[in-house]
Amino acid sequence: MKDLKKNVIIVGAGPVGLLCALQLARKGIPVTVLEAESDLTIDLRAGTFHPPTLEMLTPIGVTDAMMEIGIRVPRWQSRDLEEGLIVEWDMEILKDDTNYPFRLHLEQHRLTPILYNMLQNYPHAEVLFSHALMGLSQNDDQVSLVIDHHQEQLNFTAQWVIGADGGKSIVRKSCDVEFDGYTWPERYSVISTTYDLAPLGYADNAYMSDPVQWVAFFRMPDKGPPGLWRMTVPVDPEISDEEVLTPKYANQTFHRALKGQIHQDIPIVHQSIYRVHQRVAQQFRKHRILLAGDSAHVNNPLGGFGLNSGIHDAMNLAEKLTSVINDDVSTDVLDLYERQRKTVNLQYVQEFSIKNKKQLEEKDPQLRHERFAFLRKTNSDPHLRREYLLNSSMINSIKTANQIQ
Ligand SMILES: Cc1cc2nc3c(=O)[nH]c(=O)nc-3n(C[C@H](O)[C@H](O)[C@H](O)COP(=O)(O)OP(=O)(O)OC[C@H]3O[C@@H](n4cnc5c(N)ncnc54)[C@H](O)[C@@H]3O)c2cc1C
């Protein structure tokens, strides 16, 4: 049985794991990424990147690569199924707050190849596919990992381990860290079509409230212009997964959302269904083991905060771990990572994603109309609009994290 000694092991070659690896490799730190799958995964998940994320990724060239293939979305809409357009938010008002006063739409599975290809420039970085973590333990000096590689057991040791292995994290479970929170009863369905919603007045991103079935719309770049329109909706618990994944369900859902503006069947390109959670790990650090991204926190997708906050974790953690490894800075700085990132996840990502969901599904007619009035008033006052957009674009979340000591 081989015993492979490593400096830093990152479990999971998703966007968060690959970004941690890239940041460490750039500073000369040998790093090994272990990925359970045989290749980078492709799935319909994150697709919205906020200004602070683009700012962070600029110095390492990732933002330029993303901008080449992504869609800039300077305006997004708050809509209601009955009322139609409530407000169109123009992010240009943030031009003095950020170099990127827009959202960037890009599929998560098109970011991971960018990070992976950049990592190839560093001979001291390796990504080992078909290496699934089965469990780990640690003592004062090192972490021991048991890996399954094509049904052969491999034993690795590392000075530091970063768990970037997603919401079901084996790293988190193996070190007995509780994942506090809950799972929503409803599932969400994601449907993509080539049918173009722009002629119907839709901005490239729109959130449409409705007490029965709200909708989040995104135009995604896919393989190039004109791209695809993606729709996310909550699913009635009475309907089976099989039924949700049919073209009939997709068409009914589109037709309902567009209130009879279209009559023909639309071409369906993708459909998926998934469960949604609001959970935050009790600890982001357990001695030599650190958690980042979905292994540390998960949230509903309303607002597009999940991967963005995972990227913010990766940048924060990699900088601090680099200072520990390269500059002998006290490992206490890793506790600061936990304080900063856990605090803003609870106060910001969890709070705003839950609030966004509740507002979109609000059933009380009076509260619904009060919200429409609030949104219109906020948008008509430049000061209030800027404050609103500083929150929705995560600029305030980063400022808060950086102030925590
Ligand atoms: C429908 C949907 C829409 C979303 N939209 C947005 C959005 O617009 N904006 C946003 O910011 N976020 C969004 N999110 C959230 C976003 O997708 C996640 O936050 C993001 O994928 C987290 O990245 P990660 O690298 O932490 O984990 P993952 O992407 O889950 O990657 C984990 C990796 O670890 C690997 N792995 C797992 N277990 C093991 C093991 N035992 N050993 C080795 N490898 C392992 C997996 O194969 C995977 O490659 C959305 C999520 C969903 C479901």
Side-chain angles (χ1 to χ4, degrees), residues 54-69:
L54 300 173
E55 304 232 357
M56 280 178 196
L57 298 177
T58 298
I60 57 175
V62 174
T63 298
D64 278 352
M66 291 169 75
M67 299 260 280
E68 268 179 37
I69 51 176

Side-chain angles (χ1 to χ4, degrees), residues 12 15-16 35-36 45-48 108 133 164-165 274 294 304 306-308:
V16 173
E35 168 56 47
R45 294 205 280 162
T48 306
Q108 169 173 338
L133 176 75
D165 50 340
Y274 62 98
D294 275 18
L307 177 54
N308 281 270

Side-chain angles (χ1 to χ4, degrees), residues 188 207 214 216 299-305 352-354 356-357 360:
Y188 287 11
Y207 295 96
W214 51 259
N299 55 275
N300 80 64
L302 293 170
F305 302 137
F352 281 86
S353 60
I354 293 168
N356 286 344
K357 177 179 183 305
L360 285 185

Side-chain angles (χ1 to χ4, degrees), residues 10-19 33-41 43-50 53 103-106 108 112 128-135 146-148 163-171 188-190 207 218 220 230 232 272-276 292-311 313 394:
I10 296 170
V11 185
V16 173
L18 290 173
L19 182 59
V33 183
L34 304 176
E35 168 56 47
E37 299 296 329
S38 57
D39 205 340
L40 298 177
T41 58
D43 47 21
L44 282 192
R45 294 205 280 162
T48 306
F49 294 89
H50 291 295
T53 308
R103 296 173 170 203
L104 187 76
H105 284 187
L106 181 70
Q108 169 173 338
T112 43
L128 305 179
F129 290 103
S130 303
H131 281 67
L133 176 75
M134 307 307 287
V146 179
I147 308 298
D148 176 84
D165 50 340
K168 295 180 181 155
S169 173
I170 302 284
V171 175
Y188 287 11
S189 161
V190 181
Y207 295 96
F218 304 85
M220 300 304 299
R230 184 193 283 188
T232 302
S272 59
I273 184 159
Y274 62 98
R275 290 220 161 268
V276 191
D294 275 18
S295 74
H297 46 76
V298 286
N299 55 275
N300 80 64
L302 293 170
F305 302 137
L307 177 54
N308 281 270
S309 58
I311 289 175
D313 293 348
M394 302 187 88

